[in-house]
Amino acid sequence: MQKPTAGCGQPPRPDVELFAKLEFDTGKVNTYSGTTLAAKMLFTIGRKRHSEELVDLLLACHGRIRSFLEIAVSIGERPNVSEDEVADGSARVQRYFSEALPLHVEDEEQGVLPRLHGRSPDLDRALERMSEEHDRHVRPVRRLCELCAALRSEPGAAIVRVELAGVARRLRAELEPHLEAEELLVFPAIRSLLTVEEQQAIVRELRARRQAP
Protein backbone atom coordinates (compact mmCIF):
# COMPACT_ATOMS: atom_id res chain seq x y z
CA MET A 1 0.00 0.00 0.00
CA GLN A 2 1.28 3.46 -0.88
CA LYS A 3 2.11 5.34 2.30
CA PRO A 4 1.37 9.07 2.51
CA THR A 5 4.25 11.29 1.51
CA ALA A 6 3.37 14.28 3.65
CA GLY A 7 5.41 14.88 6.77
CA CYS A 8 2.74 13.57 9.11
CA GLY A 9 0.45 11.54 6.95
CA GLN A 10 -2.19 12.58 4.48
CA PRO A 11 -4.41 15.48 5.59
CA PRO A 12 -8.15 14.95 5.35
CA ARG A 13 -10.07 16.24 2.33
CA PRO A 14 -11.32 19.78 2.99
CA ASP A 15 -14.62 19.09 1.19
CA VAL A 16 -15.86 16.27 3.43
CA GLU A 17 -19.25 17.22 4.86
CA LEU A 18 -18.38 15.90 8.29
CA PHE A 19 -15.81 18.62 8.87
CA ALA A 20 -18.25 21.34 7.86
CA LYS A 21 -21.00 19.94 10.06
CA LEU A 22 -18.67 19.66 13.03
CA GLU A 23 -17.77 23.33 12.43
CA PHE A 24 -14.19 22.46 13.19
CA ASP A 25 -11.72 25.32 13.22
CA THR A 26 -8.37 26.14 14.72
CA GLY A 27 -9.95 28.53 17.20
CA LYS A 28 -11.59 25.64 19.03
CA VAL A 29 -8.29 23.82 19.22
CA ASN A 30 -6.68 26.87 20.74
CA THR A 31 -9.12 26.87 23.66
CA TYR A 32 -7.10 24.15 25.36
CA SER A 33 -3.66 25.13 24.09
CA GLY A 34 -1.68 26.95 26.72
CA THR A 35 1.29 28.26 24.76
CA THR A 36 1.80 31.00 22.22
CA LEU A 37 3.97 28.73 20.13
CA ALA A 38 1.26 26.07 19.99
CA ALA A 39 -1.31 28.66 18.98
CA LYS A 40 0.87 30.01 16.18
CA MET A 41 1.44 26.63 14.59
CA LEU A 42 -2.16 25.49 14.32
CA PHE A 43 -3.64 25.48 10.85
CA THR A 44 -6.93 24.78 9.13
CA ILE A 45 -7.66 21.18 8.20
CA GLY A 46 -6.91 20.53 4.55
CA ARG A 47 -4.40 23.35 4.17
CA LYS A 48 -1.02 21.96 3.19
CA ARG A 49 2.27 23.28 4.44
CA HIS A 50 4.97 23.43 1.81
CA SER A 51 7.90 24.10 4.12
CA GLU A 52 10.64 21.49 4.08
CA GLU A 53 12.11 22.66 7.38
CA LEU A 54 12.17 19.92 9.99
CA VAL A 55 10.49 21.86 12.80
CA ASP A 56 7.74 23.06 10.48
CA LEU A 57 7.02 19.47 9.47
CA LEU A 58 6.92 18.34 13.10
CA LEU A 59 4.64 21.24 14.02
CA ALA A 60 2.32 20.28 11.18
CA CYS A 61 2.12 16.80 12.70
CA HIS A 62 1.13 18.29 16.03
CA GLY A 63 -1.57 20.32 14.33
CA ARG A 64 -3.03 17.20 12.81
CA ILE A 65 -2.91 15.30 16.08
CA ARG A 66 -4.97 18.06 17.71
CA SER A 67 -7.33 18.25 14.75
CA PHE A 68 -8.13 14.55 14.60
CA LEU A 69 -8.68 14.38 18.36
CA GLU A 70 -11.23 17.18 18.04
CA ILE A 71 -12.97 15.28 15.26
CA ALA A 72 -13.09 12.15 17.43
CA VAL A 73 -14.62 14.09 20.32
CA SER A 74 -17.17 15.71 18.01
CA ILE A 75 -18.18 12.38 16.47
CA GLY A 76 -19.09 11.19 19.94
CA GLU A 77 -20.73 14.33 21.25
CA ARG A 78 -22.72 15.85 18.39
CA PRO A 79 -26.15 14.24 17.89
CA ASN A 80 -26.82 15.78 14.46
CA VAL A 81 -24.02 13.96 12.60
CA SER A 82 -25.32 11.42 10.10
CA GLU A 83 -24.27 7.78 10.18
CA ASP A 84 -22.43 8.17 6.87
CA GLU A 85 -20.47 11.05 8.32
CA VAL A 86 -19.73 9.13 11.51
CA ALA A 87 -18.40 6.21 9.47
CA ASP A 88 -16.31 8.45 7.23
CA GLY A 89 -14.92 10.54 10.09
CA SER A 90 -14.16 7.45 12.17
CA ALA A 91 -12.28 5.91 9.26
CA ARG A 92 -10.13 9.03 8.92
CA VAL A 93 -9.39 9.25 12.63
CA GLN A 94 -8.50 5.56 12.74
CA ARG A 95 -6.24 5.84 9.71
CA TYR A 96 -4.42 8.84 11.11
CA PHE A 97 -3.74 7.38 14.55
CA SER A 98 -2.91 3.89 13.31
CA GLU A 99 -0.69 4.92 10.37
CA ALA A 100 0.55 8.51 10.57
CA LEU A 101 1.00 8.92 14.33
CA PRO A 102 3.40 5.96 14.68
CA LEU A 103 5.52 7.46 11.91
CA HIS A 104 5.65 10.77 13.75
CA VAL A 105 6.78 8.98 16.92
CA GLU A 106 9.51 7.24 14.90
CA ASP A 107 10.60 10.61 13.50
CA GLU A 108 11.15 11.88 17.03
CA GLU A 109 12.52 8.70 18.60
CA GLN A 110 14.85 7.67 15.77
CA GLY A 111 15.65 10.98 14.14
CA VAL A 112 15.52 13.76 16.72
CA LEU A 113 16.27 12.08 20.05
CA PRO A 114 19.62 10.46 19.15
CA ARG A 115 20.95 13.68 17.65
CA LEU A 116 19.97 15.86 20.62
CA HIS A 117 20.90 13.41 23.36
CA GLY A 118 23.86 14.52 25.45
CA ARG A 119 23.62 18.22 24.60
CA SER A 120 22.49 19.25 28.10
CA PRO A 121 21.12 17.61 31.25
CA ASP A 122 17.85 19.55 31.06
CA LEU A 123 17.34 18.59 27.44
CA ASP A 124 18.15 14.96 28.17
CA ARG A 125 15.48 14.91 30.87
CA ALA A 126 12.97 16.39 28.43
CA LEU A 127 13.87 13.78 25.82
CA GLU A 128 13.58 10.96 28.34
CA ARG A 129 10.18 12.22 29.42
CA MET A 130 9.11 12.51 25.77
CA SER A 131 10.02 8.89 25.12
CA GLU A 132 8.30 7.62 28.28
CA GLU A 133 5.13 9.48 27.37
CA HIS A 134 5.19 7.99 23.87
CA ASP A 135 5.03 4.56 25.52
CA ARG A 136 2.15 5.59 27.78
CA HIS A 137 0.12 6.84 24.83
CA VAL A 138 0.14 3.49 23.04
CA ARG A 139 -2.76 1.92 24.94
CA PRO A 140 -5.25 4.84 24.74
CA VAL A 141 -4.41 5.39 21.07
CA ARG A 142 -5.07 1.71 20.41
CA ARG A 143 -8.45 1.96 22.14
CA LEU A 144 -9.30 5.08 20.13
CA CYS A 145 -8.60 3.15 16.93
CA GLU A 146 -10.64 0.16 18.10
CA LEU A 147 -13.66 2.36 18.75
CA CYS A 148 -13.30 4.09 15.40
CA ALA A 149 -13.13 0.71 13.69
CA ALA A 150 -16.34 -0.31 15.46
CA LEU A 151 -18.09 2.87 14.30
CA ARG A 152 -17.01 2.28 10.74
CA SER A 153 -19.02 -0.97 10.88
CA GLU A 154 -21.88 0.29 13.06
CA PRO A 155 -21.98 4.10 12.90
CA GLY A 156 -25.31 4.16 14.71
CA ALA A 157 -23.91 2.57 17.88
CA ALA A 158 -24.63 5.31 20.41
CA ILE A 159 -22.79 3.65 23.28
CA VAL A 160 -19.63 3.36 21.18
CA ARG A 161 -19.86 7.02 20.19
CA VAL A 162 -20.12 8.06 23.84
CA GLU A 163 -17.10 5.95 24.74
CA LEU A 164 -15.16 7.38 21.80
CA ALA A 165 -15.80 10.91 23.02
CA GLY A 166 -14.56 10.02 26.49
CA VAL A 167 -11.44 8.23 25.26
CA ALA A 168 -10.64 11.10 22.89
CA ARG A 169 -11.09 13.71 25.62
CA ARG A 170 -8.79 11.83 27.99
CA LEU A 171 -6.22 11.28 25.27
CA ARG A 172 -6.37 14.96 24.40
CA ALA A 173 -5.72 15.84 28.03
CA GLU A 174 -2.68 13.54 28.05
CA LEU A 175 -1.31 14.63 24.70
CA GLU A 176 -1.64 18.39 24.99
CA PRO A 177 1.03 18.84 27.72
CA HIS A 178 3.23 16.40 25.81
CA LEU A 179 2.91 18.37 22.57
CA GLU A 180 3.45 21.68 24.32
CA ALA A 181 6.59 20.43 26.07
CA GLU A 182 8.04 19.36 22.74
CA GLU A 183 7.13 22.71 21.19
CA LEU A 184 8.66 24.70 24.06
CA LEU A 185 11.76 22.60 24.77
CA VAL A 186 12.62 20.11 22.06
CA PHE A 187 11.76 21.96 18.86
CA PRO A 188 13.71 25.12 19.78
CA ALA A 189 16.66 22.86 20.60
CA ILE A 190 16.46 21.36 17.13
CA ARG A 191 16.79 24.81 15.57
CA SER A 192 19.52 26.04 17.91
CA LEU A 193 21.66 22.92 18.40
CA LEU A 194 21.43 20.92 15.18
CA THR A 195 23.15 22.01 12.01
CA VAL A 196 21.22 22.56 8.80
CA GLU A 197 22.78 19.37 7.47
CA GLU A 198 21.63 17.37 10.50
CA GLN A 199 18.11 18.71 10.18
CA GLN A 200 18.02 17.94 6.47
CA ALA A 201 19.18 14.40 7.19
CA ILE A 202 16.26 13.90 9.58
CA VAL A 203 13.87 15.23 6.92
CA ARG A 204 15.24 12.70 4.43
CA GLU A 205 14.72 9.93 6.97
CA LEU A 206 11.21 11.23 7.65
CA ARG A 207 10.39 11.10 3.94
CA ALA A 208 11.88 7.65 3.53
CA ARG A 209 9.61 6.24 6.23
CA ARG A 210 6.62 7.32 4.19
CA GLN A 211 7.67 5.79 0.89
CA ALA A 212 6.12 2.57 -0.38
CA PRO A 213 8.30 -0.49 0.45
Side-chain angles (χ1 to χ4, degrees):
M1 179 182 294
Q2 177 75 28
K3 290 184 179 179
T5 56
C8 193
Q10 223 169 8
R13 299 196 309 270
D15 58 339
V16 175
E17 289 185 5
L18 172 66
F19 302 139
K21 180 164 284 190
L22 297 184
E23 299 175 347
F24 181 80
D25 57 51
T26 55
K28 289 185 178 64
V29 176
N30 193 34
T31 60
Y32 64 86
S33 173
T35 68
T36 302
L37 179 59
K40 286 182 178 179
M41 52 73 62
L42 296 177
F43 58 94
T44 303
I45 277 186
R47 182 181 303 163
K48 293 184 179 179
R49 282 179 175 266
H50 297 286
S51 173
E52 288 296 309
E53 290 188 6
L54 173 59
V55 171
D56 287 342
L57 293 173
L58 296 174
L59 286 172
C61 293
H62 283 196
R64 290 193 178 96
I65 291 168
R66 291 176 167 113
S67 297
F68 280 103
L69 282 172
E70 286 298 309
I71 292 171
V73 171
S74 296
I75 288 171
E77 290 183 343
R78 300 204 177 191
N80 60 336
V81 180
S82 73
E83 291 189 6
D84 286 344
E85 292 167 334
V86 168
D88 183 77
S90 297
R92 293 176 183 280
V93 172
Q94 180 190 8
R95 183 165 62 249
Y96 182 80
F97 282 100
S98 64
E99 297 179 11
L101 181 63
L103 293 175
H104 174 67
V105 172
E106 288 182 18
D107 297 336
E108 294 181 340
E109 295 273 355
Q110 300 178 21
V112 174
L113 192 153
R115 290 175 170 92
L116 286 179
H117 181 71
R119 304 287 182 134
S120 78
D122 288 344
L123 182 57
D124 283 348
R125 283 190 290 271
L127 294 171
E128 181 179 2
R129 185 166 58 250
M130 177 187 78
S131 183
E132 291 173 350
E133 290 173 352
H134 285 162
D135 292 338
R136 289 203 299 270
H137 298 153
V138 170
R139 180 175 295 180
V141 167
R142 183 185 300 122
R143 184 57 182 159
L144 182 81
C145 291
E146 291 171 350
L147 293 169
C148 286
L151 286 173
R152 291 176 64 183
S153 301
E154 295 185 56
I159 294 177
V160 179
R161 288 180 62 183
V162 170
E163 184 179 355
L164 174 64
V167 169
R169 285 195 303 269
R170 290 190 294 273
L171 183 57
R172 182 179 65 187
E174 289 184 29
L175 280 173
E176 187 56 31
H178 172 84
L179 299 177
E180 289 185 354
E182 291 182 351
E183 291 159 5
L184 289 172
L185 301 171
V186 179
F187 292 179
I190 291 173
R191 283 185 163 141
S192 63
L193 298 176
L194 298 186
T195 66
V196 172
E197 290 75 17
E198 287 174 313
Q199 295 182 50
Q200 290 174 342
I202 298 173
V203 171
R204 288 193 295 271
E205 295 166 6
L206 180 152
R207 296 298 186 194
R209 289 188 188 94
R210 289 156 177 80
Q211 298 303 311

